[in-house]
Amino acid sequence: MSTQTPANGFDLTGKVALITGGSRGLGREMALAFAGAGADVAVASRNLAACEAVADEIRALGRESFAYACHLGRWEQVGELADAVLDRFGRVDVLVNNAGKSPLYDDLADVSEAMYDSVLDLNLKGPFRLTTLLAGRMRDGGGGSVINVSSVAAIRPDPSAAPYSAAKAGLNALTVALAHAYGPAVRVNAIMPGAFATDISTHWDDEVRTTLAGRAALNRVGRPSEITGAALYLASDAASFTTGSVLTVDGGTR
């Protein structure tokens, strides 16, 4: 009979995590939560100074950290990131594909090929590339966990973010495919957040904020720290029988 308890099931002591888009917003929250649970954490985004700032916060918690600047939508740079983290730590046990973007446009006809490609590259191609580079190493090393950060836009697409919605829908499908490709040793899951009060929320006016809050059963948007329970669950042994799943964290949005 297993002696695992919820308390020790969420422990990440001795693990190495890599979080893309980890310098702010939900990525930063997950990076700090993983460090608090005992993991050493590599933080990647395009902004090296911002990554270094989060790395310093992680070190203040007594864990090792590594900051790396990378464009997560570029095939070669993603490969360089994987190599750099493996050189630094020797392995990756938890990968969080969090980097993403959804640029604004006035009309769908205004979406250029360059904009469309950049959204699909960052939100879909990057996670595919990084996972395929690292999941095999996880499998050969005894196992691991991959967490893709999707969006409720994947299942409730909006014309104002059509390329983003398409990319996140693809990421949900990719999650299931990769779970089967790398199981049973490696678990691959997704978190599908709703509206959270991250950096982007500073651009919301009162009407937008009220509308988003009104769509949720909890009648509010999420606090960034509220993503960490789902992330810790999927990263840890507490989720040992969970793979190929898309976990919605949206306050009951409809």
Side-chain angles (χ1 to χ4, degrees):
M1 180 180 295
S2 173
T3 59
Q4 178 173 293
T5 67
N8 65 35
F10 284 85
D11 184 24
L12 297 180
T13 300
K15 303 293 186 182
V16 175
L18 166 58
I19 301 180
T20 71
S23 62
R24 62 180 186 173
L26 301 185
R28 174 181 172 275
E29 294 292 334
M30 288 185 279
L32 296 176
F34 286 3
D40 296 329
V41 185
V43 180
S45 78
R46 294 181 65 178
N47 188 326
L48 181 59
C51 289
E52 290 285 9
V54 177
D56 285 341
E57 292 184 87
I58 291 167
R59 295 182 189 111
L61 295 172
R63 305 311 310 167
E64 293 295 321
S65 190
F66 176 60
Y68 191 88
C70 175
H71 190 308
L72 276 304
R74 295 182 179 170
W75 196 268
E76 290 186 2
Q77 289 192 33
V78 171
E80 291 164 359
L81 167 64
D83 289 341
V85 176
L86 290 171
D87 286 345
R88 174 63 179 81
F89 291 107
R91 70 184 195 282
V92 172
D93 302 295
V94 180
L95 167 62
V96 180
N97 289 307
N98 175 65
K101 69 176 182 179
S102 181
L104 300 175
Y105 49 84
D106 292 327
D107 186 88
L108 282 166
D110 296 328
V111 176
S112 66
E113 181 178 11
M115 177 189 288
Y116 182 91
D117 287 347
S118 71
V119 171
L120 271 290
D121 286 350
L122 184 59
N123 291 289
L124 185 58
K125 183 171 75 175
F128 171 82
R129 175 63 168 160
L130 191 54
T131 301
T132 56
L133 289 172
L134 293 177
R137 291 288 294 263
M138 289 181 183
R139 179 182 56 203
D140 295 342
S145 172
V146 178
I147 303 170
N148 294 320
V149 180
S150 181
S151 167
V152 293
I155 60 172
R156 288 188 286 275
D158 189 288
S160 66
Y164 176 77
S165 296
K168 293 303 189 181
L171 188 60
N172 287 359
L174 189 65
T175 296
V176 178
L178 294 175
H180 286 273
Y182 293 102
V186 179
R187 296 178 296 101
V188 185
N189 295 286
I191 298 174
M192 196 161 62
F196 274 77
T198 59
D199 301 0
I200 194 172
S201 69
T202 60
H203 301 289
W204 296 345
D205 58 27
D206 290 342
E207 181 180 356
V208 169
R209 185 178 294 274
T210 299
T211 298
L212 292 172
R215 291 175 181 170
L218 295 181
N219 200 34
R220 63 178 177 85
V221 300
R223 295 182 291 271
S225 62
E226 292 179 306
I227 202 69
T228 60
L232 283 168
Y233 166 67
L234 293 176
S236 70
D237 289 342
S240 58
F241 196 57
T242 304
T243 194
S245 294
V246 179
L247 177 59
T248 304
V249 184
D250 68 351
T253 299
R254 62 180 179 182

